Amino acid sequence: RDLDGQARDKALFKKPFGKYGVVGEVVGWGYLNGFYILGHGLHGYLNQNSKSLERGEMMTSASFFTLTSTALIKASWRRARPQYKDEEDSFPSGHSSMAFAFASLVTVEHGYKWGVPAHLAAIAIAYSRVNDGRHWLSDVVAGATIGVSYGLGVYLHRRKREKTAPAFYFNFLPDISRDHYGLL
């Protein structure tokens, strides 16, 4: 069997999140991104803090580009969901893309102290989608890739424009082939 089917069957059989997978569904709607934007926007406006305003703007951009790209791919790809065959908007996972856009931008802006919990939340959101039969494993991997790409892309574009981009940075890239999933 393919890895998508194996991962789905394992998640559905064991259901590690049980009925609490719905938490990942709700939080993954972009609430993390929205609270970040709202919090930094208010802090920046009320305290005349340009760094907070900039962070809110970057999250707005990353979230907008992530959501737009994900919606366009969903509309053109038309992949059926694992347990909801009448719904053809499985690929890629929007919850995963938004959660990983949030996590990647939080990591580069605030460091690993905040980035690790943000990534753990993003992983939980992504896995909850497989747990609940809403997505295939490849859907959440693709969503995560889109989110990380826009989160880091917006950050690096902004820093390059300001000439403060790091000369070297380290990242994991998904490696997906017919026979395996992994990270490069």
Side-chain angles (χ1 to χ4, degrees):
R1 285 188 28 85
D2 66 343
L3 289 175
D4 261 343
Q6 290 174 8
R8 182 210 57 221
D9 292 348
K10 189 174 183 178
L12 292 174
F13 178 70
K14 292 188 177 182
K15 278 236 188 240
F17 290 177
K19 64 182 180 182
Y20 297 105
V22 72
V23 173
E25 177 183 358
V26 173
V27 174
W29 285 336
Y31 285 118
L32 296 173
N33 309 56
F35 288 138
Y36 186 95
I37 292 164
L38 184 62
H40 280 282
L42 283 172
H43 180 264
Y45 177 75
L46 295 174
N47 297 305
Q48 300 300 306
N49 186 313
S50 62
K51 184 69 173 175
S52 285
L53 289 172
E54 178 185 42
R55 286 175 169 163
E57 289 171 6
M58 283 194 294
M59 186 62 76
T60 300
S61 295
S63 299
F64 173 78
F65 292 129
T66 297
L67 187 60
T68 302
S69 296
T70 302
L72 289 172
I73 295 168
K74 278 181 177 287
S76 61
W77 201 273
R78 310 298 303 159
R79 184 181 193 186
R81 293 183 183 271
Q83 287 193 312
Y84 303 89
K85 302 292 185 199
D86 57 325
E87 297 178 22
E88 293 184 333
D89 59 347
S90 185
F91 185 85
S93 167
H95 288 73
S96 298
S97 64
M98 290 297 281
F100 278 93
F102 167 80
S104 61
L105 195 57
V106 166
T107 301
V108 293
E109 276 297 304
H110 302 281
Y112 290 108
K113 180 180 178 181
W114 292 102
V116 168
H119 273 88
L120 290 174
I123 290 167
I125 289 167
Y127 190 76
S128 76
R129 308 306 288 150
V130 178
N131 181 82
D132 293 349
R134 302 295 296 176
H135 284 287
W136 303 94
L137 179 61
S138 57
D139 298 341
V140 299
V141 170
T145 303
I146 292 167
V148 168
S149 298
Y150 281 114
L152 294 178
V154 165
Y155 169 81
L156 290 172
H157 177 73
R158 176 71 58 112
R159 296 297 174 245
K160 184 177 179 185
R161 214 173 53 205
E162 296 170 354
K163 309 265 191 272
T164 59
F168 173 79
Y169 41 89
F170 181 76
N171 195 9
F172 290 104
L173 298 173
D175 177 25
I176 303 171
S177 74
R178 186 177 185 149
D179 301 324
H180 71 279
Y181 296 100
L183 296 173
L184 294 176

